[in-house]
Amino acid sequence: MFEMLIPKLRVNTVFDINLEELYKQGYRGIITDLDNTLVGAKAPLATPELVDWFKKVKEIGFQLIIVSNNQLERVSKFATPLDIQFVHKARKPSNTPFRKAMSMMELAPEKTVVVGDQMLTDVYGGNRLGLYTVLVMPIAIHDEGWFTRMVNRRVERIALTRLRKKGLWMEEEPKL
């Protein structure tokens, strides 16, 4: 079970993802989480650096969709000014929001990348559908909601401990 929580790639931030290499490998769409993946959970808008990253993503040829468990108001205020499609109240790790995003992009799982900061929602949900999963370090853990902090992050710590004992998570990661 815990093996389904292992991402294909781990990076510190979205800026560390080698977009050109993913494109060369045949990926054409990116499904990304919003809170603590792109910006802190309480940051209302994209940073200038992130706006530049979105431009680069599109220039390379990727389609991009934000899939967030957050409410319409939060996701819309962030995504609409950037002309980025989104799925809100996604209920990740359910298959439905990932399938909806792939349908919106008209892409198959083998052409789709998922980027997120949580093993239990983004990585697990993407892995179940055979997507290429990228785990980023959370931007602002102190801004996370109660459930994420008290449940998801605790389960992640347990999973990391077990994965390390099995030799499936090699290097020591910062505490989640």
Side-chain angles (χ1 to χ4, degrees), residues 70-90:
N70 215 321
Q71 303 296 315
L72 173 62
E73 183 178 359
R74 161 68 173 142
V75 184
S76 177
K77 281 184 178 180
F78 181 90
T80 301
L82 300 166
D83 195 29
I84 297 174
Q85 292 183 295
F86 62 88
V87 176
H88 67 286
K89 290 171 81 173

Side-chain angles (χ1 to χ4, degrees), residues 100-112:
K100 181 176 181 179
M102 287 187 291
S103 175
M104 291 165 70
M105 295 187 288
E106 298 181 1
L107 291 175
E110 60 272 9
K111 300 279 186 189
T112 308

Side-chain angles (χ1 to χ4, degrees), residues 79-167:
T80 301
L82 300 166
D83 195 29
I84 297 174
Q85 292 183 295
F86 62 88
V87 176
H88 67 286
K89 290 171 81 173
R91 304 185 107 178
K92 294 179 289 182
S94 167
N95 291 339
T96 303
F98 295 105
R99 285 191 176 127
K100 181 176 181 179
M102 287 187 291
S103 175
M104 291 165 70
M105 295 187 288
E106 298 181 1
L107 291 175
E110 60 272 9
K111 300 279 186 189
T112 308
V113 175
V114 175
V115 179
D117 69 301
Q118 290 190 56
M119 295 167 70
L120 293 179
T121 57
D122 308 303
V123 174
Y124 179 63
N127 281 345
R128 286 190 343 190
L129 290 173
L131 311 179
Y132 185 90
T133 51
V134 179
L135 181 67
V136 300
M137 294 302 298
I139 293 171
I141 289 180
H142 58 279
D143 288 344
E144 290 180 328
W146 180 88
F147 188 84
T148 299
R149 273 195 332 266
M150 301 310 287
V151 178
N152 288 4
R153 297 298 182 194
R154 283 184 181 183
V155 173
E156 284 183 359
R157 283 192 295 273
I158 293 166
L160 285 171
T161 299
R162 298 231 173 116
L163 290 169
R164 284 184 184 113
K165 283 182 182 177
K166 290 182 173 186

